[in-house]
């Protein structure tokens, strides 16, 4: 039922004009300068799920959640917080993305200042509303609301978006091995593993409780709308850069 309800929003988002605007290395740089904030707050949602669904307390007490849900959360934390880079060194996906940004010449100074200060006003408008919403859900939402934001605002959208960016950078023949590795890693993980498992996680949390499904649906809808607003902001920034260049 939830899939059908969100089908229109998912379709519009997957056909957003930003996808067509990502047609050059310059536009990809601009995109990354906005998208990095979503990469960062993705970890906040994930850590919220880890706190809620696994045990991170002392003394340890076994989670009341299904062991498959616990395993999924712990697996994705390992992958996102301490994956391996192309040389086999442990690195978080956030740091890998920052490295990829520097590799292609994207500006990382603003997001680095934000990380140091946690001052939301430093985030560009469009990305700021997206981050603020997810932070509030991570802190104050119910388990199913956090899982819904994690699934519908993130995991289900990543493979299509990253495939498009990979194609652009390949066509432009830009030497960016870190970025290509990051994109390929997420296309693999999010499409084949994390997406389906995140869906199972939400199903396990909601079960047959219609009230929980309604909360999940409301968050999913808002997450998709805010993601669309983020893409709107990226599109405006790309168009402005093109006008300057002209």
């Amino acid at each position: 039922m939830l899939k059908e309800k969100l089908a229109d929003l998912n379709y519009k988002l997957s056909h957003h004009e930003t996808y067509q605007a990502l047609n050059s290395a310059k536009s990809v740089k601009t995109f990354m300068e906005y998208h990095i904030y979503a990469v960062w707050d993705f970890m906040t949602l994930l850590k919220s799920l880890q706190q809620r669904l696994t045990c991170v307390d002392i003394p340890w007490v076994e989670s009341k959640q299904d062991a498959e849900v616990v395993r999924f959360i712990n697996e994705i934390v390992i992958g996102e917080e301490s994956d391996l880079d192309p040389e086999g060194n442990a690195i978080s996906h956030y740091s890998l993305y920052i490295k990829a940004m520097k590799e292609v010449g994207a500006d990382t100074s603003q997001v680095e200042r934000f990380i140091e200060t946690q001052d939301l006003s430093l985030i560009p408008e469009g990305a700021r509303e997206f981050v603020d919403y997810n932070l509030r859900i991570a802190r104050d939402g119910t388990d199913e609301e956090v899982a819904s934001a994690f699934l519908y605002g993130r995991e289900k959208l990543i493979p299509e978006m990253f495939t498009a960016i990979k194609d652009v950078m390949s066509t432009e023949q830009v030497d960016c091995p870190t970025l290509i590795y990051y994109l390929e890693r997420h296309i693999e993980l999010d499409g084949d593993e994390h997406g389906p498992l995140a869906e199972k996680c939400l199903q396990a949390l909601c079960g047959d409780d219609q009230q929980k499904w309604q909360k999940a649906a409301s968050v999913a809808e808002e997450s998709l709308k805010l993601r669309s607003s983020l893409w709107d902001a990226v599109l405006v920034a790309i168009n402005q850069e093109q006008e300057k260049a002209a």
Side-chain angles (χ1 to χ4, degrees):
M1 182 187 297
L2 183 52
K3 286 184 180 179
E4 288 75 15
K5 185 174 182 180
L6 299 175
D8 187 51
L9 283 171
N10 268 312
Y11 179 83
K12 289 179 180 178
L13 198 52
S14 64
H15 291 78
H16 196 283
E17 286 181 63
T18 297
Y19 283 69
Q20 285 70 48
L22 290 171
N23 54 17
S24 68
K26 178 63 178 176
S27 62
V28 170
K29 289 179 191 178
T30 302
F31 167 85
M32 293 180 76
E33 290 167 6
Y34 278 76
H35 181 247
I36 182 59
Y37 297 98
V39 174
W40 175 81
D41 84 348
F42 170 85
M43 282 304 301
T44 299
L45 287 171
L46 177 57
K47 283 298 183 178
S48 180
L49 287 174
Q50 186 183 31
Q51 288 179 352
R52 294 157 180 268
L53 306 181
T54 75
C55 180
V56 292
D57 297 324
I58 299 174
W60 177 81
V61 178
E62 188 164 29
S63 171
K64 295 179 181 179
Q65 296 296 329
D66 185 282
E68 289 297 325
V69 172
V70 174
R71 182 179 177 83
F72 160 63
I73 296 299
N74 286 332
E75 280 186 348
I76 198 169
V77 168
I78 289 173
E80 294 290 337
E81 197 168 33
S82 53
D83 203 359
L84 299 178
D85 69 10
E87 289 75 42
N89 302 307
I91 190 172
S92 73
H93 282 184
Y94 169 81
S95 291
L96 192 64
Y97 199 93
I98 290 289
K99 184 178 179 180
M101 288 179 70
K102 292 177 178 179
E103 182 179 72
V104 300
D107 181 20
T108 63
S109 61
Q110 192 164 352
V111 68
E112 287 168 345
R113 285 198 300 272
F114 163 69
I115 294 299
E116 289 176 5
T117 64
Q118 297 294 295
D119 182 356
L120 288 174
S121 68
L122 294 173
I123 302 178
E125 190 175 349
R128 187 187 313 141
E129 292 78 8
F130 184 78
V131 171
D132 181 55
Y133 179 75
N134 284 306
L135 288 177
R136 286 187 282 113
I137 289 294
R139 292 190 185 110
D140 306 321
T142 62
D143 293 353
E144 62 272 11
E145 286 175 332
V146 179
S148 182
F150 184 79
L151 170 62
Y152 287 100
R154 307 311 182 79
E155 295 291 352
K156 290 181 71 64
L157 300 171
I158 295 300
E160 293 177 4
M161 175 182 67
F162 282 179
T163 299
I165 294 174
K166 181 186 171 184
D167 291 344
V168 169
M169 300 308 279
S170 297
T171 302
E172 291 273 298
Q173 297 184 328
V174 177
D175 185 24
C176 51
T178 305
L179 176 59
I180 296 301
Y181 176 81
Y182 179 94
L183 297 173
E184 290 179 342
R185 189 75 178 119
H186 278 77
I187 291 168
E188 173 192 354
L189 287 175
D190 298 330
D192 299 333
E193 299 178 30
H194 292 173
L197 287 173
E199 205 158 356
K200 287 183 180 179
C201 178
L202 182 61
Q203 290 170 352
L205 290 173
C206 292
D208 297 323
D209 190 323
Q210 292 304 310
Q211 187 174 7
K212 288 184 177 181
W213 277 113
Q214 183 55 52
K215 289 181 179 179
S218 296
V219 168
E221 197 170 347
E222 186 64 19
S223 294
L224 290 173
K225 289 178 179 178
L226 285 169
R227 172 69 79 161
S228 185
S229 295
L230 172 58
W231 282 181
D232 289 343
V234 171
L235 183 61
V236 169
I238 289 174
N239 288 337
Q240 288 175 343
E241 288 291 338
Q242 290 177 342
E243 289 173 4
K244 288 179 183 178

